[in-house]
């Protein structure tokens, strides 16, 4: 005899909001797929799927992300659970969304093409199925809050970057301009960036020095009570 047999059962799913940053176009992009089954066949959708019987929500999200991108051990956090009764016309589906930050150039292009995935600019998104647009809006708001208090933005950049490129990233996430002098003063004062001898000369005649995020130094500082703060106007 099964316990809870008198209760209704619902499907459990996860949806992955995969953010990437195009360093050349200075845009935050979202990895979307064309839905391959009904309902909403052929419509733009987040990457998602149903949770298997013997896996957790986190494991399901990691599986879906890996299947689409070929990446593991990326920055990914649970965002919110959506359980409106009419959110999916196919059945009663409760879905938990996850936000992931990846470097666009790291994605497995063969897997991306095999799954029909496309990078779409966050400022020019197509119509998304069901409540996926709500998921994206909430995830973006959360990201805008997170980058103020955690160094999560570095997950979207290559290992080495200029201060201009770092500020471009923050402006793309905030979707507004920020003060150059204030930004540089705050980020350099935290002493978590390592200045390199190499310069970027493609976009600058004089050349701008490259930096990299010193994660080990940040972890040491954090244990000492250091608080990351990059809330700039």
């Amino acid at each position: 005899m099964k316990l809870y047999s008198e209760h209704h059962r619902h499907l459990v799913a996860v949806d992955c909001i995969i953010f990437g940053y195009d360093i050349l176009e200075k845009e935050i992009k979202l990895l979307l797929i064309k839905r391959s089954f009904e309902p909403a066949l052929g419509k733009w959708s987040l990457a998602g799927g149903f949770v298997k019987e013997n896996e957790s929500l986190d494991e399901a999200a990691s599986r879906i992300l890996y299947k689409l991108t070929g990446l593991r051990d990326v920055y990914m956090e649970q965002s919110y659970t959506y359980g409106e009764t009419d959110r999916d016309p196919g059945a009663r589906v409760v879905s938990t969304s996850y936000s992931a930050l990846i470097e666009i150039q790291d994605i497995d292009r063969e897997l991306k093409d095999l799954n029909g995935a496309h990078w779409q600019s966050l400022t020019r998104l197509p119509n998304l199925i069901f409540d996926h647009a709500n998921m994206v809006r909430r995830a973006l708001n959360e990201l805008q809050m997170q980058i103020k208090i955690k160094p999560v933005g570095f997950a979207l950049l290559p290992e080495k970057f200029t201060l201009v490129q770092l500020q471009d990233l923050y402006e793309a996430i905030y979707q507004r301009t920020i003060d150059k002098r204030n930004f540089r003063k705050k980020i350099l004062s935290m002493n978590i960036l390592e200045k390199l001898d190499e310069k970027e000369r493609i976009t600058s005649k004089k050349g701008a020095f490259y930096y990299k995020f010193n994660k080990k130094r940040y972890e040491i500082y954090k244990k000492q009570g250091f608080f990351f703060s990059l809330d700039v106007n």
Side-chain angles (χ1 to χ4, degrees):
M1 176 180 171
K2 292 185 177 181
L3 298 176
Y4 313 127
S5 59
E6 72 276 15
H7 296 285
H8 293 290
R9 296 190 177 189
H10 310 306
L11 295 172
V12 178
V14 294
D15 285 293
C16 295
I17 304 154
I18 305 171
F19 291 115
Y21 178 62
D22 191 318
I23 199 168
L24 297 178
E25 297 182 13
K26 303 177 184 179
E27 286 188 324
I28 297 294
K29 294 188 174 181
L30 191 66
L31 193 60
L32 300 176
I33 61 173
K34 285 286 188 74
R35 189 157 163 110
S36 60
F37 55 90
E38 294 289 1
L41 174 68
K43 303 295 184 181
W44 287 108
S45 168
L46 297 171
F50 295 110
V51 179
K52 295 181 179 180
E53 185 176 0
N54 295 317
E55 69 179 355
S56 67
L57 291 174
D58 289 358
E59 289 169 342
S62 296
R63 168 176 56 82
I64 290 167
L65 181 72
Y66 178 74
K67 180 181 178 182
L68 187 63
T69 67
L71 299 176
R72 299 187 189 274
D73 299 322
V74 302
Y75 179 87
M76 184 165 62
E77 284 194 353
Q78 188 177 122
S79 175
Y80 190 75
T81 296
Y82 296 81
E84 289 78 2
T85 57
D86 59 350
R87 60 171 303 275
D88 188 328
R92 179 72 198 281
V93 181
V94 177
S95 182
T96 298
S97 62
Y98 281 78
S99 295
L101 306 180
I102 67 174
E103 295 179 34
I104 286 180
Q105 66 270 22
D106 286 349
I107 194 172
D108 188 311
R109 293 188 178 183
E110 290 187 7
L111 284 176
K112 171 179 167 290
D113 294 341
L114 181 65
N115 288 281
H118 298 270
W119 287 108
Q120 300 282 354
S121 170
L122 202 59
T123 60
R124 300 184 300 276
L125 289 180
N127 292 327
L128 302 180
I129 66 168
F130 310 157
D131 52 1
H132 288 194
N134 292 336
M135 293 182 178
V136 174
R137 281 192 291 270
R138 176 182 284 270
L140 177 60
N141 288 336
E142 290 172 347
L143 177 58
Q144 290 170 341
M145 295 301 297
Q146 288 293 313
I147 63 170
K148 295 178 183 179
I149 59 174
K150 293 181 180 180
V152 298
F154 297 111
L156 292 165
L157 288 171
E159 182 179 6
K160 58 183 183 180
F161 49 84
T162 67
L163 293 180
V164 170
Q165 291 170 340
L166 181 60
Q167 181 172 338
D168 287 342
L169 167 67
Y170 271 73
E171 291 183 339
I173 295 174
Y174 284 139
Q175 298 185 338
R176 60 176 173 83
T177 58
I178 54 181
D179 182 76
K180 177 181 178 180
R181 182 183 299 177
N182 192 19
F183 179 83
R184 292 192 174 201
K185 181 181 178 181
K186 282 200 170 186
I187 189 64
L188 292 177
S189 68
M190 286 186 276
N191 198 31
I192 57 173
L193 297 185
E194 183 178 337
K195 189 176 181 180
L196 307 179
D197 294 331
E198 184 181 356
K199 287 186 175 182
E200 190 273 331
R201 299 184 182 275
I202 297 177
T203 60
S204 172
K205 291 183 179 179
K206 293 178 61 178
F209 281 104
Y210 278 116
Y211 290 78
K212 69 177 182 179
F213 172 55
N214 192 319
K215 188 175 180 179
K216 289 184 178 179
R217 188 185 299 169
Y218 167 73
E219 293 295 336
I220 292 173
Y221 287 170
K222 190 169 67 170
K223 290 179 181 178
Q224 296 172 348
F226 169 78
F227 181 71
F228 183 94
S229 177
L230 199 54
D231 186 7
V232 291
N233 297 320

